[in-house]
Amino acid sequence: MILLTGATGYIGSYIWIELLKGSHEVVGIDNLSNSSASSLGAIAVISGTTPNFIEGDIRDKEFLDQIFDEYSFTHVIHLAGLKGIHESLVKKEEYFDVNVKGTDNLLQTMKSYNCLKVIFSSSAAVYGDCTSSPIKEVDTLNPSNYYGETKLEGERILAKAFNGPPIISSISLRYFNVAGRHPSRKLPGYSGSNTHSLFSEIESVITGKSESLKVFGNDWGTSDGTCIRDYLHITDLVKGHLDALKLLDDLEKCLALNLGLGVGQSVYGVISMCEHITGKLISRQVVPRRPGDVGVSIANTHLAAQLIGWRPEKTLADMCSDFLL
Ligand SMILES: NC(=O)c1ccc[n+]([C@@H]2O[C@H](COP(=O)([O-])OP(=O)(O)OC[C@H]3O[C@@H](n4cnc5c(N)ncnc54)[C@H](O)[C@@H]3O)[C@@H](O)[C@H]2O)c1
């Protein structure tokens, strides 16, 4: 029995569908702070199974005790968290409370109920402005923003949980930039209100909600001057979780794996691809760099290929067309 936290969020909904399709027994929890229960209907239609959802907060010890009393969880997929890089700089306390204290709370509850396997949503933000590229898991962890620090602290909590009995084995999946949408179009292509991803901003311009797209700096020392990111399709990301879940069954380790496409795309490169696919011009405006951003972030994914046999299949063109057409 799997406990999925952050279950009604962008990534959680897609993972939940695949778990249900694979006949896993799943209980999903979420405090609905950045998602809505309306995704439950879509999850039911797409998976053909009614999802078992309980509204609640990972910071609420009594709530966690109640659900662990009721269900015999063997695995946790822990996605619940706050994820705005720039928001984290102004709401440090809240980010610490949810991403660090919430994770600690969950791990302590797991220990006391002998639930000893966890997959954790970590982030490329744990690396910060890494000098080597593509980035390997063994490279220096030096976050450039508070969000990245909270994710790194989450990984440290997992490392501690591996050290003391009962031992919790874990895989931290360090996601790069997730994009794309379910072909049914019944689920959103990004998360709720606190998200300002490049793709959501492009959609706003294309649909006329905003006049132009802000490009944060064109002086980054890259070929066209704009930031370079590694974009990964949501369906490849989900597959990475299912592959990691299989490895976790026989694993007695605390492991971290990068999940990215292994290819970098500049902001202008993504805009051009979206213009090409939609046939629409996307107007843009260069504004100063934002604090907390890094110039280049590309994953080396050899370890994920080697250990869980994971290989992403979808391209940037797939992400743009799934999202915008
Ligand atoms: N989307 C990305 O590109 C990306 C990249 C790296 C890491 N991540 C991580 O992946 C995870 C999922 O991201 P997402 O894109 O689906 O974001 P999301 O905001 O759509 O999903 C997170 C979910 O967690 C819930 N939540 C927040 N605080 C909670 C709490 N205290 N108790 C219970 N539920 C709570 C929210 O309501 C939301 O539904 C996050 O931890 C995020 O940091 C995402």
Side-chain angles (χ1 to χ4, degrees):
M1 167 79 74
I2 299 171
L3 172 65
L4 178 67
T5 77
T8 43
Y10 168 49
I11 296 170
S13 305
Y14 285 81
I15 292 179
W16 204 348
I17 288 167
E18 287 313 306
L19 289 171
L20 292 174
K21 281 190 186 164
S23 304
H24 290 281
E25 284 187 288
V26 187
V27 173
I29 63 167
D30 202 297
N31 70 355
L32 304 180
S33 60
N34 196 38
S35 58
S36 129
S38 63
S39 56
L40 296 169
I43 294 168
V45 171
I46 299 168
S47 69
T49 308
T50 306
N52 184 356
F53 175 68
I54 307 171
E55 184 176 342
D57 198 298
I58 53 163
R59 292 167 293 179
D60 180 348
K61 189 101 187 68
E62 249 176 62
F63 165 70
L64 290 182
D65 280 338
Q66 268 171 24
I67 58 169
F68 274 82
D69 272 336
E70 190 173 348
Y71 298 96
S72 300
F73 295 119
T74 52
H75 300 70
V76 174
I77 302 180
H78 176 36
L79 287 94
L82 302 178
K83 60 164 208 175
I85 286 184
H86 307 286
E87 190 184 60
S88 75
L89 302 172
V90 289
K91 291 187 178 171
K92 283 192 173 180
E93 242 172 71
E94 207 179 327
Y95 271 69
F96 182 80
D97 203 37
V98 174
N99 291 3
V100 180
K101 281 189 10 209
T103 299
D104 194 37
N105 208 20
L106 179 65
L107 268 286
Q108 281 180 26
T109 310
M110 287 176 64
K111 277 212 172 197
S112 51
Y113 285 84
N114 222 34
C115 170
L116 303 178
K117 306 275 179 189
V118 59
I119 291 177
F120 173 56
S121 291
S122 189
S123 165
V126 297
Y127 295 111
D129 210 354
C130 201
T131 45
S132 59
S133 182
I135 306 169
K136 292 195 189 107
E137 288 81 352
V138 291
D139 283 331
T140 309
L141 303 174
N142 184 21
S144 298
N145 51 63
Y146 191 64
Y147 165 70
E149 282 178 32
T150 63
K151 285 291 172 185
L152 184 53
E153 203 46 46
E155 291 196 16
R156 291 193 184 118
I157 291 168
L158 298 183
K160 244 189 274 162
F162 181 70
N163 281 333
I167 286 173
I168 295 189
S169 294
S170 60
I171 304 180
S172 292
L173 296 176
R174 295 178 181 157
Y175 314 160
F176 282 64
N177 291 65
V178 189
R181 190 171 190 181
H182 196 273
S184 69
R185 305 190 72 75
K186 290 187 191 308
L187 284 167
Y190 49 86
S191 38
S193 56
N194 73 12
T195 302
H196 298 284
S197 71
L198 178 56
F199 280 91
S200 65
E201 302 296 320
I202 287 176
E203 189 188 37
S204 289
V205 177
I206 285 179
T207 55
K209 278 190 216 136
S210 340
E211 267 180 29
S212 69
L213 175 80
K214 285 196 178 97
V215 175
F216 295 97
N218 60 359
D219 56 352
W220 282 99
T222 57
S223 57
D224 64 19
T226 64
C227 287
I228 290 184
R229 295 286 177 274
D230 181 331
Y231 293 94
L232 177 68
H233 197 284
I234 179 88
T235 57
D236 284 324
L237 179 87
V238 170
K239 192 173 168 298
H241 287 73
L242 298 187
D243 294 342
L245 203 56
K246 281 186 214 141
L247 175 71
L248 197 54
D249 275 336
D250 302 317
L251 187 82
E252 272 230 353
K253 262 190 184 155
C254 170
L255 198 71
L257 297 177
N258 287 341
L259 294 185
L261 193 59
V263 177
Q265 299 288 348
S266 72
V267 174
Y268 284 159
V270 175
I271 295 174
S272 297
M273 177 68 81
C274 292
E275 286 180 332
H276 174 72
I277 280 170
T278 59
K280 291 183 181 161
L281 277 181
I282 299 167
S283 93
R284 73 220 54 182
Q285 175 200 359
V286 178
V287 295
R289 294 178 180 193
R290 291 175 297 187
D293 273 348
V294 298
V296 179
S297 175
I298 305 170
N300 176 315
T301 59
H302 292 172
L303 197 59
Q306 185 193 328
L307 295 184
I308 59 174
W310 178 80
R311 275 180 191 79
E313 286 166 7
K314 300 245 184 177
T315 62
L316 180 69
D318 295 325
M319 291 172 230
C320 297
S321 52
D322 284 3
F323 190 73
L324 297 169
L325 293 183

